[in-house]
Amino acid sequence: MSSGLEWRVTMPDGASVKLLPELGIIRRAWTMILALFLALESKMTSFAKKAWKTGMDEPKKVIHCLKVGMGLSLVSLFYYTRPLYDGVGGNAMWAVMTVVVVFEYTVGGTLYKGFNRATATLLAGSLGVGVHWLAIKSGNDGEPVILGASLFILASAATFSRFLPEVKSRFDYGVSIFILTFSLVSVSGYRVDKLFDLAQQRLLTIAIGTSMCILISILVFPVWAGNDLHLLITRNLDKLAESVDGCISEYFNEETARGEEEPTCKKSQSYKCVLNSKASEESLANLARWEPGHGRFGFRYPWKQYLKIGTAMRHCACCLEALSGCINSEIQAPDFIKKHLSEGCKKLSSNSTDVLKELSSIIKSMKRSPNIDSLLANMSASVDDLQNTLTSLTNQTLLSPPPPSPVLPGDSPENQSEPTHESMVDVPLMGVLPVVTIASLLIEIASRIEDVTDTVDDLAALADFKAAEDLSNDEPPVVDENENMKTLQEV
């Protein structure tokens, strides 16, 4: 009978609603378990899609994972194979630990950690053995005193050195390994008789692991930090060019910039990537200095100059941020004032964009450009024209509204409205300030672009870029479309 009962409630409007009976404890538990499994399946599916997308977008990361697995497999042979195990002793596991710690994504990162680890281990092991020998000579009573005092002094001095900028930027990891190794040798040496053999075996296994990491990192699909820094600088120059062009086009109500399909609202914000790239540039430059000569980058390549170029670009990006704030301000200039300065601003924006793109092309191709001087001259001429336009804005030009409509036949002179002095001053004066500020910022951006050009010229001189090709012939050069498409695919 209970299974056949049915409860209904009559609503005020006369409708009848059926009330479902409450589920039992077992069914509720089953529903919760089923919902938990469905949520877990959804998260796992989402994670798998993200992992697949990351692998497809950046295949180098997948290759790096395979390289790490290869290094661990090769080093583990010293532990699995009896002849190799007898050669290095029971410390073969240190080689495996070295691969896990030292193997980095870039060649520079692997060399940085490998060199620091090997040097710090050798230095700390030598000092540890020397201090242990001196402690033994001092007798049983003086041995713990000498070991404890040496550990305190060296560990304190090494820790203090990590606060020095020069040491922290290049040898911070090595100092940490030095403290760890010296502590292990000095402390374990008090109870271990064959300390020299122990230190020798650990140094050998660490050398084996470090060598394996370096060889695999360089020989198997290497990822160079210097190449990544080179590409980062060129991309930032292109983003600055997009931002300059996009900001001015957005302010003067153009839907697209320079005939491209990307909306200007997205292009005008590209400068933010330049502002946020300082940490990446410093890290890549520090790692690139550890790398040997490779490809187009020779030995002792001036990687520090890229940091100067990045600093100059961030100065330009700061002006672009101020320019973007003025464009999005609530106070806007009247249309007739914007029209008065639009031509000069667009011309300067176009010339500035051309200079930035040419600088990006110079760094990308590592060749001096024969057109950079003419582009800089055009930009300077545009700056002069815009400055003259700003100077020519006299009070009459600034404060005069558009000309009145023509008088129609039959209108009496009383019906003709003359602009009063108040209307001539108050209305345009509040709106003229934003457009003048934008023009001034655009001139400042052109000045900052000249600083970027100077740093790129210094890089070209230090890195010995190839000479510019003479393209000033009467006849234009013949362009091979197939060769052009091949070059674009390589880039």
Side-chain angles (χ1 to χ4, degrees):
M1 293 178 61
S2 60
S3 61
L5 293 177
E6 184 178 280
W7 293 88
R8 291 182 176 270
V9 176
T10 304
M11 304 300 292
D13 56 356
S16 179
V17 179
K18 179 181 179 182
L19 297 180
L20 297 176
E22 185 178 0
L23 297 177
I25 297 177
I26 298 178
R27 294 189 62 184
R28 281 186 294 174
W30 172 251
T31 304
M32 293 177 62
I33 294 174
L34 184 61
L36 180 62
F37 274 104
L38 291 177
L40 183 61
E41 181 184 3
S42 176
K43 289 184 178 181
M44 292 180 63
T45 304
S46 177
F47 177 79
K49 290 181 179 179
K50 290 181 180 179
W52 178 262
K53 185 177 183 300
T54 302
M56 294 299 293
D57 294 341
E58 300 184 34
K60 290 183 179 180
K61 293 184 177 180
V62 179
I63 296 176
H64 172 69
C65 300
L66 299 178
K67 289 162 62 176
V68 174
M70 181 190 302
L72 289 174
S73 300
L74 294 176
V75 170
S76 62
L77 295 178
F78 287 88
Y79 203 84
Y80 297 145
T81 308
R82 175 58 63 179
L84 297 177
Y85 180 81
D86 294 338
V88 298
N91 295 307
M93 187 57 65
W94 282 87
V96 179
M97 295 174 60
T98 300
V99 173
V100 174
V101 175
V102 170
F103 216 129
E104 291 291 330
Y105 178 67
T106 61
V107 176
T110 304
L111 289 173
Y112 160 73
K113 281 197 169 182
F115 176 82
N116 277 267
R117 186 175 181 86
T119 305
T121 302
L122 178 61
L123 182 60
S126 302
L127 288 176
V129 172
V131 171
H132 180 70
W133 178 83
L134 182 62
I136 292 177
K137 295 299 182 181
S138 62
N140 294 330
D141 295 335
E143 183 177 0
V145 176
I146 293 177
L147 291 176
S150 62
L151 179 61
F152 173 78
I153 294 173
L154 291 178
S156 301
T159 303
F160 177 78
S161 66
R162 299 181 67 183
F163 293 103
L164 302 177
E166 294 81 3
V167 177
K168 186 175 181 60
S169 61
R170 306 193 68 177
F171 305 106
D172 184 70
Y173 178 72
V175 174
S176 302
I177 297 300
F178 173 84
I179 297 173
L180 176 62
T181 305
F182 184 80
S183 300
L184 291 175
V185 172
S186 61
V187 173
S188 61
Y190 186 71
R191 299 296 181 183
V192 178
D193 296 332
K194 298 181 180 180
L195 180 63
F196 183 78
D197 294 338
L198 177 64
Q200 183 181 8
Q201 290 175 359
R202 289 189 179 181
L203 181 61
L204 179 60
T205 54
I206 290 175
I208 292 172
T210 302
S211 302
M212 193 69 65
C213 292
I214 293 175
L215 290 176
I216 294 177
S217 180
I218 294 178
L219 299 179
V220 182
F221 296 101
V223 179
W224 304 99
N227 191 31
D228 291 346
L229 177 61
H230 187 81
L231 295 177
L232 177 62
I233 294 297
T234 55
R235 285 198 300 264
N236 285 345
L237 283 171
D238 292 333
K239 290 182 182 298
L240 278 181
E242 291 180 358
S243 297
V244 174
D245 199 4
C247 286
I248 299 302
S249 300
E250 179 183 354
Y251 183 71
F252 291 104
N253 299 325
E254 294 184 4
E255 295 182 357
T256 56
R258 301 174 69 84
E260 298 181 5
E261 297 180 356
E262 186 178 357
T264 58
C265 60
K266 295 181 180 180
K267 295 178 62 177
S268 61
Q269 303 297 321
S270 299
Y271 67 89
K272 293 183 178 180
C273 298
V274 182
L275 293 175
N276 299 327
S277 64
K278 181 179 179 180
S280 299
E281 292 173 4
E282 292 179 350
S283 176
L284 291 174
N286 184 33
L287 297 179
R289 285 182 290 179
W290 291 92
E291 296 177 347
H294 57 279
R296 299 180 297 174
F297 310 107
F299 182 69
R300 298 183 65 84
Y301 191 81
W303 298 112
K304 289 185 178 180
Q305 189 62 29
Y306 283 92
L307 298 180
K308 296 180 180 180
I309 297 175
T311 302
M313 286 193 297
R314 278 187 290 277
H315 291 166
C316 185
C318 290
C319 294
L320 279 171
E321 188 173 21
L323 180 64
S324 178
C326 293
I327 290 175
N328 298 322
S329 176
E330 296 181 357
I331 302 175
Q332 295 295 329
D335 292 337
F336 72 95
I337 298 179
K338 291 174 62 176
K339 186 177 180 181
H340 186 76
L341 293 174
S342 63
E343 184 177 356
C345 291
K346 290 179 182 179
K347 184 178 179 181
L348 180 55
S349 171
S350 176
N351 291 330
S352 301
T353 301
D354 293 337
V355 172
L356 288 172
K357 290 183 177 180
E358 190 67 21
L359 293 176
S360 175
S361 177
I362 291 173
I363 298 178
K364 188 179 301 182
S365 62
M366 300 182 71
K367 295 181 181 179
R368 298 176 184 269
S369 174
N371 304 322
I372 189 64
D373 293 333
S374 60
L375 294 176
L376 286 173
N378 293 337
M379 187 178 69
S380 299
S382 301
V383 169
D384 295 336
D385 294 341
L386 186 57
Q387 288 177 343
N388 294 332
T389 304
L390 291 174
T391 305
S392 65
L393 289 177
T394 60
N395 293 335
Q396 181 179 0
T397 306
L398 279 174
L399 305 179
S400 297
S405 58
V407 179
L408 299 176
D411 291 344
S412 60
E414 292 85 5
N415 296 333
Q416 299 179 12
S417 59
E418 294 291 339
T420 61
H421 179 71
E422 294 181 356
S423 63
M424 293 176 63
V425 175
D426 293 340
V427 177
L429 185 59
M430 294 302 297
V432 77
L433 296 179
V435 69
V436 173
T437 303
I438 288 174
S440 302
L441 286 173
L442 193 56
I443 294 174
E444 180 64 21
I445 289 173
S447 177
R448 301 295 175 90
I449 291 176
E450 292 180 356
D451 296 338
V452 178
T453 305
D454 295 337
T455 56
V456 173
D457 289 339
D458 294 339
L459 175 64
L462 293 173
D464 195 16
F465 283 4
K466 295 182 180 179
E469 298 179 357
D470 188 9
L471 299 179
S472 58
N473 298 327
D474 295 335
E475 297 181 358
V478 178
V479 179
D480 189 355
E481 295 183 357
N482 296 328
E483 185 67 23
N484 192 16
M485 291 298 298
K486 181 180 180 181
T487 304
L488 290 176
Q489 292 176 357
E490 291 178 355
V491 174

